[in-house]
Amino acid sequence: MKYIKSISRLPQLIITLSFHLSVWIIERFSNVKKYEEIVDKLNELERGTLGKDIAECLISNKLRLVPGYESHDLKHVLLDYKMTPVDEIRMQAFMIGNGNISVPSLAIFLYGFLLLPNKWRIFYGDFKQGLASQSIKSWQIEQYSKYYTADLRKRVVGSKNIELVMKTKLTKIALITSCMSMLLGGFGMLYCLPYLFSPVLEDLVGAGFPFLGGAILFAAGLLSFSVTNKKSGSINAYETVGT
């Protein structure tokens, strides 16, 4: 039984060691003193403010601001994700849904996604929450440190209609797919067109079927684009009325 528990904890241990190693490497090549002074100033702010909460969180967990990743700790506190391996992956799932699709975010999320398959449902829930929330990918500590955390959290998290957001995202994907279908179909038709006027029967037959396939692909894309574009218009109208 103890052996099974040890095996189940192994992925989280790997993630924890990886994060600590990454932070250690970054700190070795950065001016840590500067960031310690920032935390000291944040700790002087009024209780309940985001800056004060960030400072208290770092101090209680015996951590420091990671040079170049200060906004990372802002998001931890604002979104109420703890400084644990699982919550780190959960926060990255939220941020990807929130529009922060960067190499570090994707790398950290995929790392946790592969090592923690038993948490996939939780990660998906966080991703949807990110979709339904106001974008915070560009937020910086100096901009929001004096605002109250509870007010900011209420304003940001879950502030959008998730069903409407999902429909909008799917509509955009459908429009892009339709355009790609028309583009590929049109290219195939143009490529085969000269061969349709060839006196050689083999060229005529060989180009005829691809040309027909391209025409079908183009027509299907055009039809899909038209239908999806109408749906997109109705969704935008509903969103405008809702606001």
Side-chain angles (χ1 to χ4, degrees):
M1 191 69 178
K2 289 182 179 180
Y3 178 75
I4 294 173
K5 284 185 177 180
S6 298
I7 292 294
S8 65
R9 290 174 184 167
L10 185 60
Q12 294 191 34
L13 178 61
I14 293 172
I15 294 171
T16 303
L17 292 174
S18 300
F19 288 156
H20 283 306
L21 177 61
S22 300
V23 172
W24 182 82
I25 292 172
I26 293 171
E27 288 181 346
R28 295 287 74 77
F29 297 95
S30 304
N31 180 10
V32 178
K33 181 69 176 175
K34 169 188 171 184
Y35 293 92
E36 289 177 346
E37 291 173 356
I38 292 174
V39 174
D40 290 339
K41 288 182 180 179
L42 292 175
N43 199 32
E44 294 172 0
L45 294 174
E46 188 178 344
R47 187 169 295 278
T49 59
L50 183 59
K52 177 73 171 180
D53 289 343
I54 290 171
E56 289 183 342
C57 177
L58 292 170
I59 293 168
S60 64
N61 285 281
K62 297 179 180 179
L63 297 170
R64 291 183 287 206
L65 280 176
V66 180
Y69 293 90
E70 303 94 309
S71 63
H72 175 269
D73 297 306
L74 176 153
K75 292 161 189 170
H76 261 289
V77 174
L78 175 65
L79 302 174
D80 200 24
Y81 286 116
K82 297 179 178 60
M83 300 288 188
T84 63
V86 174
D87 272 31
E88 180 64 43
I89 309 302
R90 289 186 62 192
M91 190 181 81
Q92 296 307 328
F94 179 100
M95 289 310 303
I96 290 171
N98 200 238
N100 186 30
I101 304 175
S102 63
V103 173
S105 291
L106 288 173
I108 293 171
F109 173 72
L110 288 173
Y111 192 47
F113 184 82
L114 294 172
L115 289 173
L116 301 170
N118 60 318
K119 304 290 184 182
W120 286 356
R121 182 174 293 181
I122 295 173
F123 296 155
Y124 179 63
D126 293 310
F127 173 79
K128 286 179 66 178
Q129 186 75 281
L131 277 176
S133 300
Q134 180 185 329
S135 177
I136 60 168
K137 64 180 180 180
S138 60
W139 282 30
Q140 299 295 326
I141 291 177
E142 57 269 21
Q143 291 176 297
Y144 295 95
S145 61
K146 295 180 181 179
Y147 289 87
Y148 287 100
T149 306
D151 293 340
L152 288 174
R153 192 176 294 156
K154 191 182 297 184
R155 171 179 137 194
V156 169
V157 180
S159 58
K160 298 179 182 177
N161 184 322
I162 185 61
E163 290 184 5
L164 189 60
V165 172
M166 291 292 283
K167 283 181 180 179
T168 303
K169 297 286 183 184
L170 290 172
T171 299
K172 287 181 180 178
I173 293 171
L175 285 172
I176 292 171
T177 304
S178 300
C179 289
M180 289 298 295
S181 177
M182 286 190 291
L183 186 65
L184 292 172
F187 177 78
M189 290 168 67
L190 289 173
Y191 181 80
C192 296
L193 187 61
Y195 296 98
L196 294 178
F197 299 97
S198 172
V200 181
L201 183 62
E202 288 82 0
D203 288 346
L204 187 61
V205 174
F209 287 108
F211 182 87
L212 181 61
I216 293 172
L217 198 61
F218 183 86
L222 184 61
L223 181 62
S224 175
F225 182 86
S226 177
V227 172
T228 306
N229 200 38
K230 284 184 179 180
K231 288 183 179 179
S232 175
S234 63
I235 290 172
N236 290 335
Y238 177 80
E239 192 171 13
T240 303
V241 172
T243 55

